[in-house]
Amino acid sequence: MTTNTPDLLTALSCPIPISDYPTVLMAHGGGGSLSQMLIERMFLQAFDNPTLELMHDGAVINLPPAMSEENQGEGTRLAFSTDSFVVNPLFFPGGDIGSLAVHGTVNDLAMCGARPLGLSAGLILEEGLPMDDLWRVVQSMQGAAQKAGVSIVTGDTKVVDRGKGDGVFINTTGIGLIPAGVHVSPLRAQPGDLVLINGDIADHGIAIMSMREGLEFETAIESDSASLNDLVEGVLAAGGEHVHVLRDPTRGGVASALNEIAQKAGVGVQLVEKQIPIQEQVRGACEILGFDPLYVANEGKCIAIVAPEAADEVLAAMRAHPLGENAAIIGEVVAEHPRRVFMRSRIGGLRVVDMLSGEQLPRIC
Amino acid sequence: MTTNTPDLLTALSCPIPISDYPTVLMAHGGGGSLSQMLIERMFLQAFDNPTLELMHDGAVINLPPAMSEENQGEGTRLAFSTDSFVVNPLFFPGGDIGSLAVHGTVNDLAMCGARPLGLSAGLILEEGLPMDDLWRVVQSMQGAAQKAGVSIVTGDTKVVDRGKGDGVFINTTGIGLIPAGVHVSPLRAQPGDLVLINGDIADHGIAIMSMREGLEFETAIESDSASLNDLVEGVLAAGGEHVHVLRDPTRGGVASALNEIAQKAGVGVQLVEKQIPIQEQVRGACEILGFDPLYVANEGKCIAIVAPEAADEVLAAMRAHPLGENAAIIGEVVAEHPRRVFMRSRIGGLRVVDMLSGEQLPRIC
């Protein structure tokens, strides 16, 4: 499984430079470059194994081959993905931590091309949480699970002392089956592919931040939090093998998701700003709050990287779905500037879209 | 999946009486009767589905039957189990939160009779956690995973603000394959079965509490935290279909585990106190601290409920394993007093061993 024995590991000193980072910072969980450093230098090094290395939205596990005959020669492939939710506040316009926790993990499975088989729910409650708030969260989880056609099949509850938690944290972990013939992976992005998204960006992060900052708008900005498995079924039906990569641009937004893919696949990505859908109100809020919407979290958006010959069909499939009315082609994969993302701005210039360095939006999910 | 629509659910009032329990208490996570109430009245009601209903250590998911031919006519069965760890302190004699998190979920899979396929790790870090502590925890997780022969294949990290967490909380979720022919379930306990355990009880809880209370002993009491999958392989090889139930007596101890099984299976359980293995030092610490060792958490113990004709073989298999040297037959399943656990004391009396009502040991796992 790995060449590191426990003894060797114990002898290793901390792979994060303690002089620079003596303690964990909020930015280590922000989805940007400090998160990436923690994952790559610490977790990937320690947990070294080929499945983990892919850094997909979830792991793909091949079941023993005995039962694969009817499966087009492929073994049964399970997707397996985990996510913890610590969003603050617990209830926000368009959702709450319960529905978000279900959507998040259903979506991570969907981004592996998998159909969900079941979810687990691990709750960490803070002593003193109003019982009725817990009930609202639990109902919301179940509502979201039913809507996505998945069951919460196992769970666990812990309680921590007052002041040692924050209301409720939820871990959801999901397993799903990847249908034969579906092969999506960040490694499959290749020059010429087009980059699609199923609608307006930055709604989730701005809904949360507006609420935290007490900003008021004519109509409330709502989170886009939703399960994308049904939309992804349509995308895969329309694009088949031509669908190369699926990724939900959550923490760190579209910019971080595309940077990760560009780095993994060794390709460049070029976005076209004017093609990126965004609500006027959200753009305005981003300006007021000082955020670049490309880095703001989405919780109901899917980036699909698709061979050019299938892009129109995939776009049509997205638009035919209630969660994809504003779907658009927002850029392309290029051979130039490998591992980097650029964007053609509205006024025609080309600018670098870097990995987020610090921590822009704490506890957004 | 369920007959409750989201709208109907929303209309339901909180199933926990708010007048009695307006907020979440520490005891709601203690593994006793308040935990059970929360699970049964709130979670089982909301997440209603046949898999969840079993309240096993994990869910058993049947894969679609297409690929089952070589599998003795049984479909492929996955075990799926989740657990969050909030133990305080993070480091304790015999282990730490990292190894504990791996052992706990490996064991939950093993208690379903499953061989682990992979683990996920979801970390919730508190801002300000020393980076070196995180590294120790991560190394310990990997060491435990290697020892159990399982990989951590997917993960997630969140950071919460200082004072909103407590160093590190870890969720581990595991999936495993249940071999054909293995059928363990709390429902299979039946009168005449014998109750076995692989060694001394109460070590884990007392190791934690001694440290918290600053108790000193001639030799430190160490947690029994360990992965039991290898021991369970031996148990199943020795007992086969005669192994009816496997259960790890963690939170709430041996008493709570056996009460749950008795309730589920509608049988009685009768323990014999003098046969229950316990270290003298641990018994002494229990007296000082005012705990009944039957209710104290174990993290490397397995209760096996076995048909009488296989009990000797299973006991021998346990004793042949490094984690089972002190294995013993500690009681039997009886038809009398269904749903209740009794114990024949050292002086010959028969006493009720109830479900733990309050919360005895907070944040023990």
Side-chain angles (χ1 to χ4, degrees):
Chain A
M1 180 167 30
T2 149
T3 52
N4 290 325
T5 71
D7 291 341
L8 273 175
L9 262 176
T10 310
L12 295 173
S13 61
C14 182
I16 305 288
I18 299 276
S19 50
D20 296 339
Y21 302 103
T23 66
V24 170
L25 306 176
M26 290 300 288
H28 285 114
S33 56
L34 280 190
S35 288
Q36 203 183 25
M37 185 213 277
L38 192 65
I39 292 169
E40 291 186 354
R41 294 207 199 160
M42 187 180 285
F43 301 137
L44 289 187
Q45 175 178 333
F47 300 150
D48 181 31
N49 65 72
T51 309
L52 186 68
E53 196 59 44
L54 275 176
M55 278 184 63
H56 211 316
D57 268 323
V60 177
I61 295 178
N62 296 298
L63 288 191
M67 349 77 172
S68 45
E69 225 162 288
E70 300 192 34
N71 208 9
Q72 301 187 11
E74 295 189 280
T76 301
R77 291 172 303 154
L78 291 177
F80 183 39
S81 182
T82 193
D83 222 336
S84 296
F85 295 83
V86 299
V87 65
N88 171 28
L90 298 179
F91 303 95
F92 49 81
D96 59 69
I97 192 171
S99 52
L100 184 66
V102 170
H103 297 152
T105 291
V106 166
N107 291 349
D108 283 345
L109 294 175
M111 299 308 129
C112 299
R115 294 181 183 140
L117 280 171
L119 297 186
S120 68
L123 275 63
I124 299 176
L125 310 178
E126 184 190 10
E127 182 187 24
L129 173 73
M131 191 61 78
D132 209 50
D133 282 0
L134 176 59
W135 179 230
R136 283 172 66 195
V137 167
V138 165
Q139 287 176 94
S140 175
M141 293 184 80
Q142 175 60 9
Q146 280 187 292
K147 210 165 164 184
V150 63
S151 292
I152 295 165
V153 295
T154 191
D156 175 62
T157 309
K158 294 292 190 307
V159 181
V160 295
D161 349 19
R162 210 180 282 262
K164 301 293 184 184
D166 197 14
V168 50
F169 300 145
I170 303 178
N171 176 283
T172 47
T173 303
I175 52 177
L177 262 181
I178 303 175
V182 172
H183 295 100
V184 292
S185 158
L187 298 176
R188 291 191 67 215
Q190 52 187 275
D193 285 355
L194 294 174
V195 180
L196 282 72
I197 193 163
N198 63 312
D200 303 333
I201 67 167
D203 291 355
H204 176 73
I206 294 302
I208 301 281
M209 289 311 288
S210 301
M211 190 167 174
R212 276 199 224 150
E213 302 289 325
L215 287 188
E216 304 222 350
F217 301 95
E218 276 187 39
T219 53
I221 294 175
E222 294 205 341
S223 167
D224 59 342
S225 180
S227 287
L228 294 166
N229 54 327
D230 192 55
L231 178 128
V232 165
E233 291 268 352
V235 162
L236 291 170
E241 281 282 349
H242 295 305
V243 180
H244 292 162
V245 188
L246 295 170
R247 174 63 66 101
D248 55 340
T250 56
R251 263 188 302 183
V254 168
S256 303
L258 289 175
N259 267 285
E260 276 179 35
I261 294 166
Q263 287 171 21
K264 277 283 145 194
V267 296
V269 173
Q270 201 161 306
L271 295 172
V272 182
E273 187 173 18
K274 68 169 191 278
Q275 290 174 211
I276 300 175
I278 179 168
Q279 290 187 65
E280 262 320 307
Q281 197 161 242
V282 170
R283 188 202 308 278
C286 281
E287 276 166 21
I288 294 168
L289 293 164
F291 294 132
D292 180 338
L294 279 179
Y295 294 89
V296 175
N298 310 277
E299 292 291 347
K301 291 301 169 300
C302 167
I303 291 172
I305 297 184
V306 176
E309 56 267 40
D312 285 343
E313 285 86 341
V314 171
L315 184 65
M318 280 184 171
R319 287 187 174 161
H321 194 279
L323 296 175
E325 288 166 5
N326 292 344
I329 296 174
I330 62 171
E332 63 179 324
V333 178
V334 295
E336 298 84 53
H337 54 81
R339 295 168 208 281
R340 309 208 65 178
V341 179
F342 280 74
M343 183 165 75
R344 177 76 56 194
S345 76
R346 281 168 198 276
I347 52 168
L350 205 59
R351 74 164 171 96
V352 178
V353 177
D354 252 337
M355 199 78 189
L356 183 66
S357 65
E359 165 248 354
Q360 190 183 32
L361 295 169
R363 298 186 56 191
I364 212 74
C365 60
Chain B
M1 179 166 31
T2 150
T3 52
N4 290 326
T5 70
D7 291 341
L8 272 175
L9 262 177
T10 310
L12 294 172
S13 61
C14 182
I16 305 290
I18 299 278
S19 50
D20 296 339
Y21 302 104
T23 66
V24 171
L25 305 176
M26 291 300 287
H28 284 115
S33 56
L34 281 190
S35 288
Q36 203 183 24
M37 185 212 279
L38 192 65
I39 292 169
E40 291 186 353
R41 294 208 199 160
M42 187 180 285
F43 302 137
L44 288 187
Q45 176 178 332
F47 301 149
D48 180 32
N49 65 72
T51 309
L52 186 68
E53 197 59 43
L54 275 176
M55 279 184 62
H56 212 315
D57 269 323
V60 177
I61 294 178
N62 296 297
L63 289 192
M67 350 75 171
S68 45
E69 224 162 288
E70 299 193 35
N71 208 10
Q72 302 187 10
E74 296 189 280
T76 301
R77 292 172 303 153
L78 291 178
F80 182 40
S81 184
T82 192
D83 223 337
S84 296
F85 295 83
V86 299
V87 64
N88 170 29
L90 298 178
F91 303 95
F92 49 81
D96 59 68
I97 193 170
S99 52
L100 184 66
V102 170
H103 298 152
T105 291
V106 166
N107 291 349
D108 283 345
L109 294 174
M111 299 308 129
C112 299
R115 293 180 183 140
L117 280 171
L119 298 185
S120 67
L123 276 61
I124 298 176
L125 310 177
E126 184 190 10
E127 182 187 25
L129 173 73
M131 191 62 79
D132 209 50
D133 282 359
L134 176 60
W135 178 231
R136 283 172 67 194
V137 168
V138 165
Q139 286 176 95
S140 175
M141 293 184 79
Q142 175 61 8
Q146 279 188 293
K147 210 165 165 185
V150 62
S151 293
I152 295 166
V153 295
T154 191
D156 175 61
T157 310
K158 294 292 189 308
V159 181
V160 296
D161 350 20
R162 210 180 282 263
K164 301 293 184 184
D166 198 13
V168 51
F169 300 145
I170 304 179
N171 176 283
T172 47
T173 302
I175 52 178
L177 261 183
I178 304 175
V182 172
H183 296 101
V184 293
S185 158
L187 299 176
R188 291 191 67 214
Q190 52 188 273
D193 285 356
L194 294 173
V195 180
L196 283 71
I197 193 163
N198 63 311
D200 303 333
I201 68 168
D203 291 355
H204 176 73
I206 294 303
I208 301 281
M209 289 311 289
S210 301
M211 190 167 176
R212 275 198 225 150
E213 303 289 326
L215 287 188
E216 303 223 350
F217 301 94
E218 276 187 39
T219 52
I221 294 176
E222 294 206 341
S223 167
D224 60 343
S225 181
S227 287
L228 294 166
N229 53 326
D230 192 54
L231 178 128
V232 165
E233 291 268 352
V235 163
L236 290 171
E241 280 282 347
H242 295 303
V243 180
H244 293 161
V245 188
L246 295 169
R247 174 64 65 102
D248 54 341
T250 56
R251 263 187 302 182
V254 168
S256 303
L258 289 176
N259 267 285
E260 276 179 34
I261 293 166
Q263 288 171 21
K264 278 283 146 196
V267 297
V269 173
Q270 201 162 306
L271 295 171
V272 182
E273 185 173 19
K274 68 169 192 278
Q275 290 174 213
I276 301 174
I278 179 167
Q279 289 186 67
E280 263 320 307
Q281 198 162 242
V282 170
R283 188 202 308 279
C286 281
E287 276 166 21
I288 294 168
L289 294 165
F291 294 131
D292 180 339
L294 279 180
Y295 294 89
V296 175
N298 310 277
E299 292 291 346
K301 291 301 169 301
C302 168
I303 291 172
I305 297 183
V306 176
E309 56 268 40
D312 286 344
E313 285 86 341
V314 171
L315 184 65
M318 280 182 171
R319 286 186 174 161
H321 194 277
L323 296 175
E325 288 165 6
N326 292 344
I329 295 174
I330 62 171
E332 63 179 324
V333 178
V334 295
E336 299 84 53
H337 54 80
R339 295 168 208 282
R340 309 207 66 178
V341 179
F342 280 74
M343 183 164 75
R344 176 79 53 196
S345 75
R346 281 169 197 276
I347 53 170
L350 205 58
R351 74 164 170 96
V352 179
V353 177
D354 253 335
M355 198 80 187
L356 183 67
S357 66
E359 165 248 356
Q360 190 183 32
L361 296 169
R363 299 187 54 192
I364 213 73
C365 59

